[in-house]
């Protein structure tokens, strides 16, 4: 059974640009959640999608957005990139919504560097 | 604010010792807790979970203890091995929201 796949693995962007990251969940999983990981702030929740609907959103500015498609694949978009957006972006999939107490399986992440 | 935190940022043990990694949480409404292990260059990996109606749960070489009275969570690793070296995160699942992670404890196992 394939795991969670995130693409691309590495990305370098310039300040002011926008970026789209992709996450393919484990087959059959309908929940996809996104996280930002930095050395200073640790792992922070961005948002969760379940059956194409955003269920929860963390404390991030509106420049961070996402969506989920009917096949459960999800994309995350960051507009007007800032240097502080440099981070490892992780997505996780689970068979049920996170607040149902479902185990989340993580991908290896996309390392975004903003210069 | 309410968050999940860890007592120690680093823990060094000898191979074969038992390791105990601690975590404190502040929201008594949290009802689901998870421990993750993250190795360098990889995403977090699920280790073990526990619900708030339990106080202990055992897995293979790992045990999670939950003390709701003092809002404390711990992960015990028996016979620690070099392959256990990683960063360990606790996370809580607050009702109506999603995973909130602690800062992480780096476990270093020496031979």
């Amino acid at each position: 059974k394939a795991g969670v796949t995130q693409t691309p693995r590495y990305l370098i962007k310039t300040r002011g640009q926008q970026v789209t990251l992709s996450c393919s969940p484990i087959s059959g999983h309908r929940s996809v959640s996104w996280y930002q990981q930095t050395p200073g702030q640790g792992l922070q929740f961005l948002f969760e999608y379940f059956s194409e609907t955003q269920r929860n959103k963390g404390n991030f500015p509106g420049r961070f957005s996402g969506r989920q498609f009917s096949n459960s694949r999800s994309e995350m978009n960051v507009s007007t990139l800032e240097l502080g957006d440099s981070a490892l972006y992780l997505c996780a999939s689970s068979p049920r919504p996170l607040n149902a107490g479902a185990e989340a399986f993580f991908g290896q992440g996309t390392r975004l560097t903003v210069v | 604010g309410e968050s999940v935190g860890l007592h120690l940022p680093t823990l060094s043990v000898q191979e074969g010792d038992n390791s105990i990694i601690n975590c404190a949480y502040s929201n008594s409404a949290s009802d689901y807790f998870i421990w993750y292990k993250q190795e360098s260059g990889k995403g977090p990996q699920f280790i073990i979970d526990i619900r708030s109606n339990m106080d202990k749960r055992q897995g293979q070489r790992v045990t999670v203890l939950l003390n709701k009275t003092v809002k404390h969570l711990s992960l015990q690793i028996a016979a620690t091995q070099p392959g256990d070296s990683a960063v360990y995160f606790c996370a809580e699942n607050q009702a109506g929201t999603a995973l909130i992670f602690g800062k992480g404890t780096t476990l270093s196992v020496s031979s």
Side-chain angles (χ1 to χ4, degrees):
Chain A
K1 195 174 189 181
V4 178
T5 304
Q6 291 188 247
T7 57
R9 288 292 311 279
Y10 302 93
L11 205 50
I12 299 176
K13 288 287 189 178
T14 305
R15 273 182 300 174
Q17 287 186 311
Q18 73 163 11
V19 67
T20 299
L21 311 181
S22 178
C23 175
S24 293
I26 292 172
S27 178
H29 286 193
R30 294 161 62 192
S31 167
V32 174
S33 50
W34 288 89
Y35 303 84
Q36 182 195 66
Q37 187 174 33
T38 60
Q41 298 299 318
L43 266 165
Q44 293 184 286
F45 169 74
L46 280 156
F47 30 66
E48 180 198 6
Y49 287 87
F50 183 82
S51 295
E52 301 179 67
T53 301
Q54 187 180 89
R55 289 179 55 85
N56 294 299
K57 184 173 168 60
N59 189 25
F60 278 82
R63 299 185 298 107
F64 292 80
S65 63
R67 59 178 175 169
Q68 186 179 34
F69 302 95
S70 59
N71 61 358
S72 294
R73 190 177 70 84
S74 178
E75 288 182 346
M76 191 193 95
N77 185 274
V78 187
S79 62
T80 320
L81 283 165
E82 301 176 359
L83 295 178
D85 297 332
S86 295
L88 179 67
Y89 289 89
L90 292 157
C91 86
S93 79
S94 60
R96 297 182 299 280
L98 288 176
N99 65 1
E103 176 185 342
F105 295 85
F106 283 82
Q108 291 200 295
T110 294
R111 173 74 63 185
L112 172 65
T113 302
V114 182
V115 298
Chain B
E2 295 172 330
S3 63
V4 177
L6 289 170
H7 291 304
L8 292 174
T10 61
L11 177 65
S12 297
V13 300
Q14 292 285 324
E15 182 178 1
D17 286 351
N18 295 332
S19 302
I20 299 177
I21 301 172
N22 295 305
C23 176
Y25 66 96
S26 58
N27 185 0
S28 57
S30 294
D31 57 6
Y32 182 58
F33 303 88
I34 311 167
W35 280 101
Y36 283 93
K37 170 187 179 183
Q38 187 174 24
E39 297 174 281
S40 181
K42 297 184 179 180
Q45 177 187 359
F46 174 91
I47 301 173
I48 192 168
D49 59 359
I50 189 168
R51 295 192 179 277
S52 58
N53 61 352
M54 303 170 67
D55 52 22
K56 180 179 180 179
R57 190 162 189 228
Q58 289 185 290
Q60 187 176 14
R61 283 201 306 118
V62 296
T63 300
V64 55
L65 298 177
L66 176 63
N67 185 330
K68 294 181 288 294
T69 302
V70 295
K71 299 190 186 70
H72 184 267
L73 191 69
S74 69
L75 176 70
Q76 300 178 0
I77 306 174
T80 313
Q81 303 168 0
D84 294 327
S85 295
V87 180
Y88 289 81
F89 296 93
C90 64
E92 67 178 299
N93 190 194
Q94 299 179 342
T97 63
L99 292 175
I100 296 177
F101 288 84
K103 293 291 186 185
T105 290
T106 300
L107 176 64
S108 298
V109 183
S110 52
S111 303

